Amino acid sequence: TPPHVIVTGASSGVGLHATKALVDRGWHVVMACRDLAKAARAAANLDINPASITPLEIDLGSQSSVRRFAADFAALVKPLDALVCNAAVYLPLLKTPARSPEGFEISVATNHFGHFLLSHLLLPHLQSPGRRAKRLVTLGTVTANSEEFGGKIPIPAPANLGALAGLEAGFRAPVAMIDGKKFKPGKAYKDSKLCNMIISREFHRRYHQNTGIIFNTLYPGCVADTALFRDAPKLFQTIFPWFQKTITKGYVSQALAGTRVAQVVADDAFAQSGVHWSWGNRQLPSRDAFSQPLSSAANDAARAARLWELTAELVGRT
Ligand code: NDP
């Protein structure tokens, strides 16, 4: 049997192209998507062999859906060699917070809570013996890493989890931000991505040595033309790709971003745990991936441990 990987949000953008790149490498991909018809259509458009994919329904914003997905996956009796936490929502124009079925602000609920719960539910599959070291790969982003220029941009505000006051307070209405402060939808996305990077490191600290699982994150480059920006202002959607292509030179195609995800999942060169992989902000054709240091906000071990505990409580995994 081929190696098996679950890719969340495989119906579009980076996740879809990662699916293609992994199938091209001989992997079988479980496409974990909220719209299965869309996932099947998207795969067909890229000529992905239907025998190499299994679309399986998940709504990462809903904890009951994540639990159902884990049960459905277990019933398939497929081995699991890797999990890619890729799905995300970015809703920068919301005036008031949208809420998940459990009552949590939707971008943190989807991007952070959903993946935290999913990773925990699938951990037994990643711990079971396999032919290769198993990997849990999470999509990070430069805008949530204040170590890099892209993470310092104050529009609407840099990622900042503060003292986790919003989570400490239970994270339900009226609370909408992890730091407990005023609702800023674009910042909620950045905060959720910072959580993704912190939790990957915390998984590494807690589980790498005794399980051998490789936990890492990556920034594939600025894929400025994906559907991630569908809810951003129309003018931004026109200017942003042009700006990234011509001014910052940070632009990366969806196909190249997908290939980079596949490399981090499958290649020996990426068999190191606790690493944030980057190809840099300014794209240079000859540059290899390197280990990008994370900000002090991401490396604060005490806060990482507290973020883990609070999240575990809010998703019922204590
Ligand atoms: P897309 O919007 O193209 O893809 C996001 C995927 O997530 C879609 O398949 C979407 O499903 C899925 N999704 C959203 N909400 C849910 C949900 N509740 N349940 C299940 N699936 C869901 O964005 P990208 O490909 O650009 O983003 C992929 C990842 O890459 C994200 O984690 C993002 O943070 C990261 N990233 C992106 C960068 C970029 O420049 N684009 C840069 C750095 C990181 P559907 O098709 O149904 O909408």
Side-chain angles (χ1 to χ4, degrees):
T1 52
H4 280 64
V5 54
I6 295 173
V7 178
T8 68
S11 53
S12 166
V14 178
L16 173 63
H17 287 267
T19 299
K20 171 148 182 67
L22 284 157
V23 167
D24 287 348
R25 278 159 201 259
W27 284 60
H28 186 96
V29 179
V30 177
M31 299 173 76
C33 298
R34 58 181 167 178
D35 181 341
L36 295 188
K38 179 179 179 184
R41 266 196 320 273
N45 284 341
L46 287 188
D47 283 330
I48 297 173
N49 181 358
S52 299
I53 53 171
T54 305
L56 202 58
E57 189 176 337
I58 191 169
D59 175 358
L60 279 150
S62 154
Q63 293 181 15
S64 56
S65 172
V66 173
R67 289 176 196 281
R68 204 175 319 120
F69 173 90
D72 290 347
F73 176 77
L76 286 176
V77 207
K78 294 203 190 261
L80 185 63
D81 296 281
L83 167 64
V84 179
C85 295
N86 163 80
V89 283
Y90 172 57
L91 302 160
L93 296 182
L94 285 184
K95 296 275 181 278
T96 53
R99 298 276 167 187
S100 73
E102 286 82 17
F104 302 126
E105 188 284 318
I106 199 70
S107 35
V108 169
T110 306
N111 308 350
H112 169 46
F113 291 175
H115 282 125
F116 183 92
L117 178 59
L118 181 67
S119 302
H120 279 79
L121 296 173
L122 294 177
L123 211 53
H125 298 276
L126 291 172
Q127 278 173 300
S128 67
R131 291 161 296 184
R132 49 170 64 231
K134 315 237 175 154
R135 299 189 191 180
L136 200 170
V137 175
T138 303
L139 270 286
T141 178
V142 70
T143 53
N145 186 20
S146 61
E147 185 69 18
E148 302 177 78
F149 177 69
K152 296 188 170 78
I153 298 184
I155 309 167
N160 183 355
L161 309 181
L164 309 178
L167 292 185
E168 297 277 3
F171 206 58
R172 287 189 168 86
V175 177
M177 299 296 285
I178 291 177
D179 63 8
K181 296 196 175 145
K182 187 170 168 281
F183 178 57
K184 290 184 182 165
K187 177 176 180 292
Y189 167 80
K190 293 186 194 180
D191 287 351
S192 73
K193 297 305 294 181
L194 176 55
C195 289
N196 284 159
M197 297 197 278
I198 294 174
I199 291 298
S200 176
R201 283 292 164 92
E202 191 62 15
F203 262 116
H204 166 73
R205 276 192 285 270
R206 291 180 187 230
Y207 286 98
H208 173 62
Q209 208 141 50
N210 53 359
T211 64
I213 300 170
I214 294 159
F215 299 97
N216 50 31
T217 50
L218 77 146
Y219 172 61
C222 184
V223 207
D225 52 9
T226 69
L228 187 67
F229 305 101
R230 69 191 108 174
D231 294 306
K234 287 284 168 272
L235 189 63
F236 176 88
Q237 291 183 44
T238 313
I239 290 178
F240 190 53
W242 169 85
F243 181 76
Q244 293 293 346
K245 281 176 191 166
T246 56
I247 308 291
T248 67
K249 302 266 198 279
Y251 175 78
V252 168
S253 69
Q254 298 185 32
L256 179 55
T259 300
R260 287 175 171 175
V261 173
Q263 286 177 290
V264 176
V265 170
D267 287 5
D268 290 343
F270 296 86
Q272 208 182 327
S273 187
V275 173
H276 179 61
W277 294 105
S278 173
W279 284 257
N281 289 331
R282 208 177 168 79
Q283 299 297 314
L284 306 169
S286 53
R287 195 190 267 168
D288 286 334
F290 56 89
S291 168
Q292 166 69 51
L294 293 181
S295 63
S296 54
N299 283 322
D300 179 336
R303 194 170 47 177
R306 190 67 188 141
L307 176 65
W308 176 287
E309 285 164 16
L310 289 168
T311 308
E313 275 172 32
L314 295 173
V315 303
R317 295 290 298 176
T318 46

